[in-house]
Amino acid sequence: MASNLSRRGFLRGTAAVAAGSAIAGGTLAAGSMVAWGADEGTAAGEVRQAPSLCNGCSSKCGLVGTTVDGKLWTLEGAKNHPYSKGTICGRGHGVAQMAYNDERLTQPLRRKEDGTFEPISWDEANREIAEKVAAIIAESGPEALALIHDPRPSGKYYGPRFLNALGSPNVYTHGAACNASKESGITYTTGASNFSVDFANAKMVVFIGRSYGDAIRPSSVQSLANAADAAKRIVVVDPRLSNSAIFATDWVPIKPGTDIALLLALANVLVADNLYDHDFVENHSVGFDEFAAEIAPCTPEWAEGVCEVPADTIRELAEALAKAAPAAAIEPSWRAAFGCSYANSFDTARAVCAVNALLGSWGQKGGALITSSPKAGDLDKTRFPSVPKPEVKRVGDAEYPLALSGMGSNLAALQAALDGKMRGFFFYNSNAAQGYANPKVWREGLGRADLVVTIDVQMSETALLSHYVLPECTYIERMELPEFIGGKKHYVGMRTPIIERVHPETRSCDEIFCGLAEACGVGQYFDFTLEELAAAQLESVGTSLEEVREAGVVELADPGFEYKVPKFKTESGKFEFANAKVGEAGLNPVIGYVPRMVEAAGDELYLVGGKQGIHSHTMTQNIASMNAISREYNLERLWMAASDAQARGIADGDLVEVASSEATGQVRVRVTERLRPGVLFLPTHYGTTSPYQTRACGFGINLMDFVPFRMEPGTGAAMSQEVAVTVRKVEE
Ligand SMILES: Nc1nc2c(c(=O)[nH]1)N[C@H]1C(S)=C(S)[C@@H](COP(=O)(O)OP(=O)(O)OC[C@H]3O[C@@H](n4cnc5c(=O)[nH]c(N)nc54)[C@H](O)[C@@H]3O)O[C@H]1N2
Ligand SMILES: Nc1nc2c(c(=O)[nH]1)N[C@H]1C(S)=C(S)[C@@H](COP(=O)(O)OP(=O)(O)OC[C@H]3O[C@@H](n4cnc5c(=O)[nH]c(N)nc54)[C@H](O)[C@@H]3O)O[C@H]1N2
Ligand code: SF4
Ligand SMILES: [Mo]
């Protein structure tokens, strides 16, 4: 391993300052540019620029695209976008190549009896889909229809509007496989679904899993680099020495799924040693006495037995946090640690919030900040008529009452398909069947449905399971509705087309849903253009379509952020150490200990997953340049601790068989000292089974194949790391 310093320098060079420019300016992109038909090295033709938002991940960083003679030449991060701040990451560059991908979807497809697909016209597709929708509604009611999407700006509006117009409330995001537990946990303590750490002013920050250095957002990487420069105390709790841990002062290699024990023990020390913020607790919280009683047994010595972090380390961390408070906080994290991973993820998120409460860090300079988000104001109902609210409740909400209204549990919809109750599915910008739960269960569930429609840009696993596949044009080829961005300041950004459509038969989100709505007889709710709606939304927040089109990102009226204890939007109006609704959902109303569900037995190892800087979820693995980088650096390999490898006679690069109750799979091993023994780390971007993605198909394995289909009580989240596996060497 290179020294910390040189790695830090490397990371800063690639991720923070010029993330991806190494790719954009290097040989790979130059090659691609030639492939795209641009004139390498010169920009001799007609040069144009247009603003957009990246589609590489949900950060949707602002960017500016430059074309030469209509072909994409470069992408740069928008300087005034709060996430990109002038920089986009490597994925941001790579994902744009999707537009020119030779394996894109180019026309609507219908699945044949033999499982292959045939091209059909949009009219045929819309008509046949509408007939099936009508049949499902006639037989089972609109509640037998669902939409699962990763809503991008336009999708957020058009998809739910379409489904609600049909009378169905069943709209789900990918949340149950991303951040559902975390956002619910934060909501049921603070009333806000997320928070941020005031990094620039913090003296000490503890990360639970979250890796800015791998799961990249450019501005976050920069803030981490700055914090490291300022010699702040940064503690990374992660079974793996991640690319964030390299910036950290402390690496705490915890046993996966037991972060809750560490957090409750921190709280225990803060309370027992009287190191907590009395003013905050007395004036701004409810349920403290119950919480204090609940965690009285959660001493550092107890926690050591659960999470295998030494009691002394826990005690020292608690004392250091108290000393740095209120300019200290536990960072909110995102996915792998407690976004949707374990039976205790919801309570782990609540415990994070509880520690921040004891530190009196909420709203303080350097602490945990809850900021506001802008949204479009009320629009003229005669031009943009409201869709009547569906009469029935969303499927899953009764069983998983802690799932947030904006998310729902898409796995509850899958369960309903298995039960024969959910009969029609629409997927938009979502590869649920590969990433949200065990793929074999999706195959079974969708196999029972009468209608599956997927709107995508490539032949994903979900598209493969669909009766109809509708091709969207890529994000650099389309205009979308405004995207509102919250924080200390408010912004709005927008996608405008950077290039003309490469394939004339592809359509944009709004065109696709309007076409479907028309065919399904609910076109009256879509009788306006995207431009008209965008203009109305922008006018409602004090700007205009012209201004945003021109500038790409526009700062809105200053929301007047101030450092002070926030007004918690909970029922009590205070921070909630205990919450009755959580009790009504069948969980402990008081924040407390919940064990992980699966314990490794015998020679089993815990399997955890995580991101790599150059890939996004399942969707980038077939992009030629990104696939080439992964192959060159063997990025698909399964990380195994050196001592575990030695005990099994496994050497670096050996082929192994990984087996869980659900699946077996073969992959090569990366033997490393950067991992806690007893744990395996699998990058989560590989293992596509779509034969239409020829570069990626069969390369690496997919975490979700190994995970049993189960849902976290309360939230309906995927419990994507409640799994232990065996590993044995395959003789070659
Ligand atoms: N490169 C890249 N960046 C992305 C994305 C992407 O696809 N690719 N996607 C974006 C999205 S949607 C999300 S949700 C975020 C995810 O953001 P993160 O949650 O930060 O990313 P992950 O890589 O899932 O997990 C981070 C770390 O958690 C560790 N970990 C795993 N299990 C445990 C555990 O039980 N306890 C603890 N303490 N640590 C654990 C892993 O080893 C890993 O280093 O990334 C965003 N940014
Ligand atoms: N195996 C695996 N599973 C995961 C994850 C993982 O990293 N690996 N990450 C988890 C997390 S944190 C999250 S947030 C979710 C993310 O889950 P998703 O949001 O579903 O992300 P992807 O799996 O990348 O699938 C996105 C799909 O959208 C398609 N797509 C890309 N661009 C466009 C477009 O412009 N229009 C349309 N209509 N479609 C487009 C892609 O081709 C792909 O099929 O997955 C979760 N599950
Ligand atoms: S973090 Fe990277 S991939 Fe995600 S939106 Fe920003 S530039 Fe795109
Ligand atoms: Mo995510």
Side-chain angles (χ1 to χ4, degrees):
M1 191 184 119
S3 75
N4 282 1
L5 250 181
S6 67
R7 274 200 166 249
R8 220 188 237 185
F10 167 77
L11 252 185
R12 183 193 318 266
T14 57
V17 177
S21 69
I23 296 170
T27 46
L28 271 168
S32 316
M33 283 184 196
V34 174
W36 305 345
D39 180 9
E40 189 182 12
T42 62
E46 192 197 352
V47 178
R48 279 176 185 265
Q49 288 202 316
S52 186
L53 303 172
C54 181
N55 202 39
C57 74
S58 38
S59 290
K60 284 164 271 178
C61 293
L63 51 80
V64 178
T66 304
T67 54
V68 178
D69 286 338
K71 295 267 161 53
L72 183 61
W73 178 255
T74 55
L75 292 173
E76 286 168 86
K79 293 193 176 55
N80 54 348
H81 191 281
Y83 299 160
S84 46
K85 291 193 178 152
T87 302
I88 53 171
C89 78
R91 295 171 293 148
H93 290 279
V95 81
Q97 298 171 23
M98 199 87 101
Y100 298 100
N101 191 342
D102 53 341
E103 296 185 326
R104 257 184 80 175
L105 291 167
T106 57
Q107 60 209 114
L109 300 173
R110 176 174 58 204
R111 199 173 73 212
K112 297 195 286 189
E113 286 288 309
D114 65 2
T116 61
F117 290 83
E118 60 187 343
I120 54 171
S121 71
W122 280 99
D123 283 348
E124 267 178 295
N126 285 340
R127 196 179 59 244
E128 290 182 19
I129 292 168
E131 280 166 11
K132 292 188 178 171
V133 164
I136 292 172
I137 293 176
E139 285 164 30
S140 309
E143 59 270 31
L145 295 169
L147 166 71
I148 298 180
H149 65 164
D150 176 5
R152 305 294 161 159
S154 285
K156 241 182 253 177
Y157 183 93
Y158 283 93
R161 192 174 176 84
F162 169 62
L163 220 75
N164 292 346
L166 295 176
S168 170
N170 300 325
V171 177
Y172 309 87
T173 70
H174 64 223
C178 171
N179 55 358
S181 317
K182 167 200 139 168
E183 294 219 342
S184 291
I186 297 175
T187 301
Y188 282 92
T189 47
T190 71
S193 59
N194 205 0
F195 68 91
S196 58
V197 170
D198 189 20
F199 229 102
N201 299 303
K203 293 184 190 148
M204 178 170 175
V205 180
V206 176
F207 286 88
I208 306 291
R210 176 85 182 97
S211 180
Y212 289 4
D214 298 279
I216 289 171
R217 177 180 278 177
S219 56
S220 305
V221 184
Q222 191 59 60
S223 65
L224 183 60
N226 293 345
D229 277 351
K232 296 192 175 171
R233 182 125 186 234
I234 300 166
V235 180
V236 170
V237 180
D238 192 318
R240 178 178 78 112
L241 188 96
S242 67
N243 285 324
S244 287
I246 286 161
F247 290 85
T249 47
D250 307 58
W251 173 38
V252 180
I254 199 163
K255 174 178 156 183
T258 66
D259 300 273
I260 190 167
L262 170 73
L263 292 159
L264 296 180
L266 292 175
N268 173 289
V269 176
L270 295 173
V271 174
D273 295 357
N274 202 17
L275 298 172
Y276 68 94
D277 185 325
H278 284 260
D279 173 60
F280 181 87
V281 165
E282 276 144 39
N283 298 314
H284 304 286
S285 80
V286 296
F288 174 74
D289 292 342
E290 294 103 298
F291 176 64
E294 185 78 32
I295 61 162
C298 301
T299 61
E301 287 70 25
W302 164 83
E304 178 173 340
V306 179
C307 66
E308 297 171 16
V309 175
D312 288 349
T313 304
I314 301 176
R315 199 162 264 121
E316 192 279 325
L317 286 174
E319 284 161 8
L321 280 166
K323 203 161 161 225
I330 316 285
E331 207 267 356
S333 201
W334 203 339
R335 190 209 191 201
F338 56 91
C340 61
S341 308
Y342 305 104
N344 60 19
S345 287
F346 172 77
D347 266 290
T348 306
R350 289 208 295 168
V352 165
C353 297
V355 174
N356 288 339
L358 296 176
L359 295 173
S361 145
W362 289 107
Q364 304 307 309
K365 195 166 182 184
L369 304 184
I370 293 174
T371 51
S372 59
S373 289
K375 61 174 193 206
D378 288 337
L379 305 183
D380 177 356
K381 293 268 184 299
T382 54
R383 288 172 67 207
F384 311 103
S386 302
V387 175
K389 200 165 173 274
E391 283 158 18
V392 286
K393 269 188 87 174
R394 180 170 57 191
V395 167
D397 283 1
E399 298 85 344
Y400 301 99
L402 303 179
L404 296 184
S405 59
M407 265 183 204
S409 167
N410 64 69
L411 302 194
L414 169 57
Q415 183 61 57
L418 293 167
D419 298 340
K421 291 183 187 140
M422 194 64 83
R423 299 182 50 198
F425 281 87
F426 290 86
F427 292 94
Y428 174 69
N429 201 120
S430 160
N431 193 8
Q434 183 77 343
Y436 300 2
N438 195 302
K440 74 178 177 194
V441 183
W442 280 105
R443 283 196 288 276
E444 195 185 329
L446 296 185
R448 290 189 196 171
D450 302 278
L451 174 66
V452 183
V453 179
T454 291
I455 303 165
D456 206 303
V457 294
Q458 61 187 341
M459 205 60 167
S460 67
E461 284 77 6
T462 311
L464 274 177
L465 297 175
S466 305
H467 301 101
Y468 298 90
V469 182
L470 305 179
E472 187 167 16
C473 53
T474 66
Y475 68 105
I476 60 170
E477 301 164 283
R478 64 186 190 238
M479 180 169 157
E480 290 205 49
L481 291 177
E483 167 82 358
F484 296 97
I485 308 132
K488 279 183 182 166
K489 296 199 165 169
H490 287 177
Y491 301 87
V492 64
M494 208 174 89
R495 287 195 175 126
T496 71
I498 297 174
I499 58 168
E500 299 269 307
R501 292 188 193 177
V502 178
H503 301 285
E505 282 297 296
T506 57
R507 291 186 177 174
S508 59
C509 172
D510 53 301
E511 292 166 349
I512 294 172
F513 280 109
C514 287
L516 285 168
E518 186 70 35
C520 291
V522 290
Q524 72 271 28
Y525 297 112
F526 294 83
D527 199 11
F528 45 82
T529 65
L530 178 85
E531 276 86 352
E532 286 165 353
L533 177 57
Q537 288 186 340
L538 290 169
E539 275 153 32
S540 78
V541 291
T543 176
S544 69
L545 183 55
E546 290 66 38
E547 192 183 0
V548 180
R549 238 183 194 154
E550 181 63 29
V553 179
V554 168
E555 188 174 336
L556 299 174
D558 191 332
F561 172 81
E562 281 175 64
Y563 289 113
K564 60 174 189 207
V565 175
K567 178 140 187 32
F568 293 107
K569 289 189 181 149
T570 51
E571 257 172 43
S572 63
K574 296 187 170 184
F575 180 89
E576 301 194 337
F577 286 106
N579 179 297
K581 287 228 170 81
V582 177
E584 285 157 26
L587 306 186
N588 184 351
V590 186
I591 302 170
Y593 180 62
V594 178
R596 61 169 291 160
M597 178 184 277
V598 173
E599 286 291 336
D603 67 346
E604 283 178 341
L605 301 162
Y606 294 110
L607 182 61
V608 304
K611 312 294 185 203
Q612 286 176 330
I614 65 152
H615 280 292
S616 278
H617 314 301
T618 72
M619 78 173 190
T620 53
Q621 54 188 313
N622 197 50
I623 293 173
S625 59
M626 294 157 112
N627 180 264
I629 295 171
S630 291
R631 285 183 184 269
E632 185 165 348
Y633 293 99
N634 300 317
L635 294 182
E636 87 292 5
R637 287 186 182 176
L638 173 73
W639 293 32
M640 184 180 232
S643 58
D644 289 329
Q646 203 183 12
R648 289 166 178 75
I650 293 169
D652 192 53
D654 277 355
L655 187 68
V656 296
E657 184 175 88
V658 182
S660 78
S661 56
E662 307 306 305
T664 57
Q666 295 193 348
V667 67
R668 290 192 188 280
V669 163
R670 170 177 175 180
V671 175
T672 176
E673 298 282 358
R674 288 177 58 176
L675 193 61
R676 190 196 139 82
V679 181
L680 299 163
F681 173 83
L682 185 67
T684 53
H685 307 298
Y686 305 102
T688 180
T689 52
S690 171
Y692 296 87
Q693 299 187 24
T694 56
R695 287 176 286 273
C697 191
F699 182 60
I701 56 174
N702 174 19
L703 172 71
M704 297 313 291
D705 278 327
F706 297 89
V707 181
F709 173 57
R710 287 188 290 231
M711 284 169 262
E712 185 188 19
T715 65
M719 301 207 290
S720 58
Q721 293 187 166
E722 283 290 8
V723 63
V725 298
T726 56
V727 177
R728 68 169 185 86
K729 184 175 164 161
V730 175
E731 298 303 335
E732 290 181 271

